[in-house]
Amino acid sequence: MKILFPILAFIGGIAVAIQGQINGGLGKKAGVLEAAFISFGIGTLALFFTVIFFGKGNLFIVTTVPKWQLIGGLLGAIYVIVAVFSVPKIGVAPTLAAVIAGQIIMGIIIDHFGLFGGTRIPIDMKKIVAMVLLFISIYLFNQK
């Protein structure tokens, strides 16, 4: 069971890479914001039908949760717009390297301070070295 979640995350990463290239191509034809809108529209429809057929939760909880917990969709939109704009300019791998670096660095900050209700996991030297290596990888990915 311990291997299930890393495998699922890996599959999610594959989906994000494919999504980046597809949305980048769509952005060239439709426009950056339009491509992001189309992508979110189709994703919304997919989630709508998934919720109808498989959902077991309560969508009306949206009225009672802290309002800051509702910005996830906005953050997702920012990511899609950035990816649609960046992939055609620098490619999928450099875009994803930068995205992953941003995710890991922000994840380290969130963990270190226990932000957004998370468990506090202090930063250590291994994480600092990993961040430095991430920046080196981004630099190497963007060398011509």
Side-chain angles (χ1 to χ4, degrees):
M1 190 68 164
K2 280 188 171 189
I3 192 76
L4 176 64
F5 293 109
I7 289 171
L8 289 175
F10 182 78
I11 291 168
I14 290 169
V16 167
I18 294 168
Q19 177 195 33
Q21 183 62 33
I22 289 171
N23 283 348
L26 181 60
K28 285 182 184 178
K29 294 180 179 172
V32 171
L33 296 177
E34 293 78 4
F37 181 78
I38 291 166
S39 178
F40 263 83
I42 292 169
T44 299
L45 283 174
L47 285 172
F48 175 75
F49 288 111
T50 303
V51 166
I52 286 175
F53 293 111
F54 303 107
K56 303 262 189 281
N58 178 4
L59 288 177
F60 297 108
I61 197 74
V62 71
T63 61
T64 63
V65 298
K67 299 309 173 216
W68 65 268
Q69 290 180 343
L70 302 176
I71 66 169
L74 175 63
L75 296 171
I78 291 168
Y79 163 73
V80 170
I81 291 168
V82 168
V84 169
F85 181 72
S86 299
V87 166
K89 308 276 191 239
I90 63 173
V92 175
T95 298
L96 289 179
V99 166
I100 292 166
Q103 289 174 326
I104 291 173
I105 290 167
M106 193 66 223
I108 289 170
I109 293 167
I110 290 168
D111 285 347
H112 182 74
F113 293 105
L115 300 176
F116 311 114
T119 302
R120 193 170 182 287
I121 304 169
I123 193 168
D124 58 18
M125 188 52 75
K126 288 190 293 186
K127 291 176 185 171
I128 292 170
V129 170
M131 286 191 295
V132 170
L133 292 172
L134 278 169
F135 285 114
I136 291 169
S137 72
I138 292 169
Y139 173 79
L140 292 173
F141 263 115
N142 285 295
Q143 291 300 302
K144 302 278 179 201

